[in-house]
Amino acid sequence: SKLDANLDFDAIVIGGGFSGIYAVHRLKNELNLDVIAFEKGGHVGGTWYWNRYPGALSDTESFVYRFSFDKELLQEYTWTHNYLTQKEVLNYLTHVTERYNIKDNFKLNTEVTKVKFNEDESYWEVTTNHEKTYTAQFLICGLGLLSAVHKPNIPGIDNFKGQYYHTAQWPENADYKGKKVGVIGTGSTGIQLITAIAPEVEHLTVFQRTAQYNVPLGYRKQSEEEIAEIKANYDQIWDTVRNSVTAFGYPDTNISAMDHSEEEREAKFEEAWKRGNGFYFLNHVFNDLATNREANDAAANFIKKKIKEIVKDPETAEKLTPKEPYARRPCANDGYYYTFNRDNVSLVDIKANPIVEVTEKGIRTTEGEHELDVIIFATGFDAMDGNYTKFPMIGRNNVVLKDKWKNGSRSYLGIMESDFPNMFMSRAPLSSFTNNPPAIESELGWAIDLIKYLIDNNLRTAEPTKEAVDGWYDLCLKLSEGSLFGETQSWIFGANIPGKPVSVRFYMGGMGNYNKELEKRGFSELVFDKALEKSDR
Ligand code: FAD
Ligand code: NA7
């Protein structure tokens, strides 16, 4: 350690995804700190290491699903299609770790099992599954917002004779081709998977609990000219990203859906349908689909009409038709509804006929047994706080983060918590509901500026006041109250996990406003502790 010779490292980073990689690079190469990073997985990449299921694809467009901080890298590193496959994102992130010479900072196959703030001497103790404990002044957590796997306990699963696995733990020996496959779950992941594997399996049985709105993605090859033009305009593109609502690279609109005649509105929806992308459809055609019920109904009805047109069997079409507002994380996939016209695909409505148990031979619902060789869980994640409550994270006064969050998670700016000095989080509860890489750069950018400020001013710790945390929570709550997202039961409010408190988990004010908050507040709502003198020890 360079800052305090008594500690093992200056900073410890947990997680090897976009967040961990960005943190290690800036701490090591810019602040010159001695950094170690722990990653549970066998490779860096985070989400893009774990989610190797067929059909896995970004639905942020390629040009903005990357870091913005390195202008040369933006010019050099290229892509072929308007979205990135799992493999492509993984390759990109691997490349970043090589380019910045940080690959060796990551200790792979190493899970952090406990972190504890040593209050007497103000440092973090980090314990791993290899039974070792390391110390550092700063702790940066990039544990992942959609990373803690949710695999529901279905009675009898251990009796199943075939293979079963979760999409985010896709095994190398997955053997589903030519088999009778059952998929549980029809969120963004299930939709991608179902469309991808339907042509490869003997029979696919889709177990759907809640029907989702899906719009096309518009996946296509991009010409060299198109890519060159993007690269020539990157300054302006990132400016749009950082100041927009979704940070997806689309300019904001100030047009309300209800200011149009029905005909004009339908024409706009049709245009967006042809263009593709769920975030575009939900947020950038009109500005009020997520907040105005009438506007939301209009969009929902447009998609419902499409389902009816595409899906040939009326009973299947009816089952696929959502009964709730269009207010979850928007799904986008080019072939999804068409897949249900295939002879080898069937849809089981498990809301009407719930799963009773898994048997040796398959899945039994209240209606009867479905014989299967393979069961795939596309059942999502204990999102936002799942990885933060999984192992003891202990702050001042022996406060455990899980206990602190038992009625709903809180944070200051999505980055810090009171009682947890010098602990910084990326994509944690109450961070922005936006495209992720730009949000990671904003949050960790603020955190790293703060670390630099502490070092430059010979300060040992910083932490937000309780009032600051409560103030941020109140703001997030207020912003969420205008959103129809609270009316659906999804991970966005924590409603997908049995027993988890349903509460606001995002700052819904958009990327642009979030960045303004960071700038406006600076470090004014933090309390600081002086550096320890030698004689204090
Ligand atoms: P992650 O990539 O989740 O990395 C966290 C890492 O921390 C993991 O590798 C995990 O193993 C590790 N970890 C956690 N706990 C511990 C521990 N205790 N000890 C050691 N290591 C630990 N976002 C978008 O913006 N656009 C998209 O198109 C998009 N598509 C997605 C598609 C899928 C299938 C999924 C699952 C997510 C998608 N996301 C998308 C969200 C995605 O998670 C983020 O974009 C981004 O990858 C998050 O990076 P991260 O580093 O913060 O977290
Ligand atoms: P999601 O969006 O949480 O979807 C999970 C799906 O699994 C959804 O259809 C759930 O139905 C279903 N589910 C969950 N638990 C059960 C049980 N117990 N029984 C039956 N069905 C169940 O996760 P995804 O992975 O698709 O997407 C999450 C994000 O990660 C997304 O933003 C992507 O970017 C990647 P429900 O709707 O709860 O009725």
Side-chain angles (χ1 to χ4, degrees):
S1 162
K2 297 178 182 109
L3 297 173
D4 180 340
N6 292 309
L7 303 181
D8 297 324
F9 297 96
D10 296 325
I12 293 177
V13 173
I14 314 174
F18 268 96
S19 296
I21 291 169
Y22 184 66
V24 171
H25 161 58
R26 292 209 45 200
L27 294 167
K28 177 180 175 177
N29 296 323
E30 231 179 83
L31 301 194
N32 252 315
L33 300 186
D34 193 7
V35 188
I36 192 168
F38 298 117
E39 167 55 57
K40 183 166 67 177
H43 198 281
V44 293
T47 292
W48 304 96
Y49 165 78
W50 295 106
N51 289 269
R52 275 165 288 169
Y53 61 85
L57 194 71
S58 75
D59 53 11
T60 300
E61 292 193 37
S62 307
F63 73 123
V64 288
Y65 199 60
R66 56 194 61 238
F67 293 118
S68 72
F69 68 88
D70 181 340
K71 288 193 181 184
E72 270 170 34
L73 181 62
L74 284 171
Q75 296 303 320
E76 282 169 22
Y77 205 89
T78 203
W79 62 92
T80 59
H81 288 67
N82 57 341
Y83 297 95
L84 300 164
T85 61
Q86 170 267 331
K87 196 79 196 280
E88 288 169 325
V89 186
L90 189 60
N91 288 344
Y92 166 75
L93 290 172
T94 307
H95 175 79
V96 172
T97 61
E98 284 161 0
R99 177 179 175 90
Y100 292 109
N101 195 25
I102 56 174
K103 226 176 157 177
D104 293 341
N105 292 77
F106 286 90
K107 300 304 158 206
L108 304 173
N109 302 306
T110 306
E111 181 171 0
V112 170
T113 52
K114 182 181 173 186
V115 300
K116 186 176 190 317
F117 186 68
N118 180 312
E119 230 178 323
D120 294 339
E121 301 199 13
S122 295
Y123 61 80
W124 281 96
E125 298 165 358
V126 176
T127 306
T128 72
N129 60 337
H130 305 309
E131 310 295 332
K132 286 207 177 114
T133 298
Y134 304 85
T135 56
Q137 188 172 341
F138 302 106
L139 176 62
I140 292 89
C141 303
L143 306 187
L145 73 163
L146 291 155
S147 171
V149 164
H150 170 54
K151 202 194 249 159
N153 263 333
I154 301 181
I157 187 73
D158 295 334
N159 301 331
F160 185 59
K161 290 273 188 255
Q163 276 191 329
Y164 64 93
Y165 35 82
H166 190 281
T167 47
Q169 294 167 333
W170 196 260
E172 261 169 44
N173 66 347
D175 182 19
Y176 65 89
K177 290 186 185 168
K179 298 268 161 82
K180 289 196 278 293
V181 177
V183 173
I184 304 175
T186 53
S188 297
T189 299
I191 284 176
Q192 289 184 336
L193 173 84
I194 288 160
T195 308
I197 66 173
E200 302 178 333
V201 302
E202 183 193 318
H203 190 87
L204 181 63
T205 310
V206 175
F207 296 88
Q208 171 193 276
R209 191 163 66 180
T210 309
Q212 288 250 39
Y213 294 93
N214 177 67
V215 305
L217 187 65
Y219 183 59
R220 63 181 172 82
K221 199 167 162 41
Q222 284 186 302
S223 68
E224 277 178 32
E225 294 74 43
E226 203 179 340
I227 294 173
E229 174 152 345
I230 289 170
K231 289 186 173 179
N233 286 312
Y234 253 134
D235 285 348
Q236 196 219 314
I237 286 169
W238 290 115
D239 191 61
T240 302
V241 165
R242 291 185 196 113
N243 290 299
S244 67
V245 174
T246 62
F248 270 70
Y250 312 130
D252 287 340
T253 169
N254 56 11
I255 304 170
S256 153
M258 304 327 282
D259 289 348
H260 283 65
S261 70
E262 195 182 331
E263 233 177 13
E264 289 166 331
R265 203 162 47 230
E266 294 292 296
K268 289 260 189 200
F269 284 142
E270 188 62 45
E271 216 176 277
W273 181 271
K274 291 216 171 78
R275 185 201 179 287
N277 195 290
F279 284 90
Y280 182 82
F281 196 97
L282 187 59
N283 298 287
H284 293 272
V285 182
F286 300 114
N287 68 356
D288 53 355
L289 299 190
T291 49
N292 177 316
R293 191 169 306 276
E294 246 185 307
N296 191 278
D297 282 347
N301 288 334
F302 177 86
I303 300 173
K304 288 178 187 174
K305 243 180 10 217
K306 288 287 185 191
I307 298 172
K308 221 174 189 167
E309 274 167 32
I310 296 168
V311 181
K312 291 192 183 121
D313 171 42
E315 203 185 309
T316 306
E318 179 54 30
K319 281 190 223 164
L320 285 167
T321 302
K323 312 288 183 288
E324 57 180 28
Y326 180 28
R328 292 175 176 231
R329 182 214 190 272
C331 297
N333 180 278
D334 289 320
Y336 184 61
Y337 293 129
Y338 291 95
T339 299
F340 293 90
N341 290 334
R342 298 179 62 92
D343 291 338
N344 70 333
V345 176
S346 51
L347 179 64
V348 178
D349 177 353
I350 54 171
K351 195 160 265 168
N353 303 292
I355 293 175
V356 178
E357 61 170 349
V358 176
T359 64
E360 277 184 22
K361 286 191 290 187
I363 292 180
R364 195 162 67 80
T365 69
T366 51
E367 224 183 9
E369 191 171 9
H370 300 268
E371 280 196 23
L372 303 166
D373 304 314
V374 178
I375 300 174
I376 303 174
F377 287 88
T379 44
F381 304 89
D382 182 352
M384 308 313 291
D385 34 16
N387 275 340
Y388 288 85
T389 53
K390 233 182 180 173
F391 64 95
M393 301 187 84
I394 307 168
R396 273 191 208 287
N397 304 314
N398 282 317
V399 171
V400 181
L401 195 62
K402 184 181 177 170
D403 298 340
K404 213 172 156 87
W405 287 0
K406 70 174 186 294
N407 297 321
S409 27
R410 295 193 175 212
S411 75
Y412 179 57
L413 307 171
I415 308 174
M416 297 189 87
E417 240 297 16
S418 57
D419 294 321
F420 289 78
N422 286 5
M423 185 178 103
F424 303 94
M425 302 176 284
S426 177
R427 306 319 281 135
L430 306 186
S431 58
S432 61
F433 184 64
T434 57
N435 179 28
N436 282 281
I440 289 167
E441 288 185 322
S442 289
E443 292 159 28
L444 288 174
W446 182 89
I448 286 158
D449 286 350
L450 174 55
I451 291 174
K452 185 171 183 323
Y453 176 85
L454 293 176
I455 296 170
D456 290 350
N457 292 284
N458 203 28
L459 295 164
R460 180 75 174 193
T461 64
E463 93 187 80
T465 62
K466 181 150 190 325
E467 293 68 42
V469 176
D470 290 345
W472 185 251
Y473 175 82
D474 290 344
L475 175 62
C476 291
L477 190 64
K478 201 172 98 203
L479 289 168
S480 77
E481 278 163 359
S483 164
L484 295 168
F485 275 61
E487 295 185 16
T488 60
Q489 302 277 303
S490 82
W491 59 267
I492 292 172
F493 284 79
N496 65 326
I497 304 294
K500 185 170 173 171
V502 174
S503 82
V504 59
R505 281 193 172 71
F506 277 106
Y507 168 86
M508 293 286 194
M511 189 84 266
N513 287 328
Y514 178 83
N515 285 331
K516 284 191 197 119
E517 290 288 350
L518 288 187
E519 201 162 305
K520 183 179 85 189
R521 291 165 195 253
F523 309 141
S524 65
E525 291 171 307
L526 305 174
V527 285
F528 298 96
D529 239 3
K530 280 235 191 59
L532 297 179
E533 297 299 331
K534 276 254 155 47
S535 58
D536 292 345
R537 293 176 187 286

